[in-house]
Amino acid sequence: MKKIMMTLAAVAIAMTVSAQDKWYGSKEGGFALTFNANPVLNYVGNMFNGNTNNTVEDFDGIDGKGLFNGTTITGKYFLKDNLALDLGFGFNNKYNVTNVYGGEDVDKVTSYSRATTTAFHLKGGVEYRLRAGERLQPLFGADVVFQHTNAWNYNTITEGEGKDNYNYSGNPTNSLGLMLNAGVEYFIIPQISLGANLQFGVSKRWAWDSKDNKPEGEGAAKNYSRITNKDIKLQTANVGANVTLNFYF
């Protein structure tokens, strides 16, 4: 019995020492990859809450509506155990073509529409960690962020009455800002963690709206119209939150 007790005590001591020596995350010279896990959690959550309109659109990338929305990928390089440089990238590209056929020739397109959305998101900055190497690590960071979005639609008639009539609308937008974040990461195993972050940003936004239509036929000249609008805003109401999945090397 005494030998058994001594053996169990030795095993407990060994496990304690091993746990104390375990390092969670990366050390100086290491790097990490971080993925925005919000789309995954939303999709899984909708599977359990009875939502029948679940889609995979959130997985497409950033949605162009703000500095915090959509999927981004971030790489981190650790200058010190508790200090890292980060560089993030996100994108989205959609292109949709709709053709309408009619008349005697069923293969002839009588009208068509084109719609496209292109967006990309770049960020770079620094991150500082408290309790580096521990299982639970609070963190703070700051990033400079640039985001470009351009969405346009074009519709035209190619055959029949109103041939060559068209209308166009476009909305290119640029945003440049400073984003601050505070959060925490919990390590499932030494190389993988789940994180939660709150973000606050100040940004300047440049947006252009353009609308153009060209009717053909009698009275076309007076029915033609073109509208352009330029909008510049300094915004401080950029607040967001996200959940991340992180891999350390």
Side-chain angles (χ1 to χ4, degrees):
M1 184 67 179
K2 186 176 180 180
K3 290 182 178 181
I4 294 175
M5 294 299 295
M6 291 179 65
T7 302
L8 291 175
V11 171
I13 292 173
M15 291 179 64
T16 301
V17 172
S18 177
Q20 291 175 346
D21 292 340
K22 189 175 292 185
W23 184 276
Y24 293 90
S26 297
K27 295 185 178 182
E28 180 179 336
F31 63 97
L33 287 176
T34 294
F35 300 88
N36 187 329
N38 286 356
V40 178
L41 296 179
N42 290 339
Y43 190 88
V44 174
N46 287 339
M47 292 174 63
F48 291 96
N49 65 15
N51 189 339
T52 59
N53 297 320
N54 217 350
T55 71
V56 295
E57 287 188 2
D58 289 338
F59 295 90
D60 290 343
I62 62 172
D63 61 14
K65 297 176 183 177
L67 298 180
F68 312 107
N69 300 311
T71 303
T72 57
I73 301 171
T74 302
K76 300 176 183 179
Y77 176 76
F78 284 80
L79 300 174
K80 297 182 179 180
D81 293 348
N82 61 353
L83 181 66
L85 296 176
D86 67 73
L87 181 64
F89 175 67
F91 70 95
N92 193 351
N93 182 260
K94 295 181 180 180
Y95 183 66
N96 179 263
V97 179
T98 302
N99 293 324
V100 178
Y101 302 84
E104 296 179 358
D105 188 349
V106 295
D107 294 325
K108 182 173 289 187
V109 176
T110 58
S111 66
Y112 66 83
S113 64
R114 305 287 187 265
T116 185
T117 299
T118 302
F120 68 86
H121 173 112
L122 292 171
K123 69 173 185 174
V126 296
E127 179 184 272
Y128 180 78
R129 292 171 177 262
L130 301 177
R131 302 178 64 201
E134 300 291 329
R135 190 155 207 162
L136 186 67
Q137 300 181 22
L139 54 89
F140 304 91
D143 290 282
V144 175
V145 184
F146 174 77
Q147 184 163 296
H148 170 77
T149 305
N150 189 15
W152 59 264
N153 293 275
Y154 179 83
N155 305 281
T156 187
I157 298 174
T158 57
E159 294 292 334
E161 185 178 353
K163 181 180 178 181
D164 296 328
N165 287 8
Y166 76 82
N167 61 74
Y168 165 86
S169 64
N171 182 218
T173 302
N174 293 322
S175 294
L176 178 66
L178 175 65
M179 186 166 63
L180 306 176
N181 71 80
V184 65
E185 285 185 19
Y186 177 80
F187 284 80
I188 305 168
I189 61 174
Q191 288 76 40
I192 300 177
S193 73
L194 287 175
N197 295 281
L198 292 176
Q199 301 166 321
F200 174 79
V202 177
S203 68
K204 192 168 185 177
R205 178 178 177 269
W206 297 264
W208 295 265
D209 290 317
S210 178
K211 296 181 180 180
D212 191 0
N213 78 292
K214 182 183 178 183
E216 296 289 343
E218 187 177 351
K222 61 182 179 182
N223 291 328
Y224 174 78
S225 68
R226 173 174 290 166
I227 301 171
T228 60
N229 178 59
K230 187 175 182 180
D231 183 26
I232 300 177
K233 293 181 179 179
L234 179 63
Q235 300 173 305
T236 58
N238 296 314
V239 179
N242 68 66
V243 178
T244 59
L245 180 61
N246 313 284
F247 299 88
Y248 291 83
F249 305 91

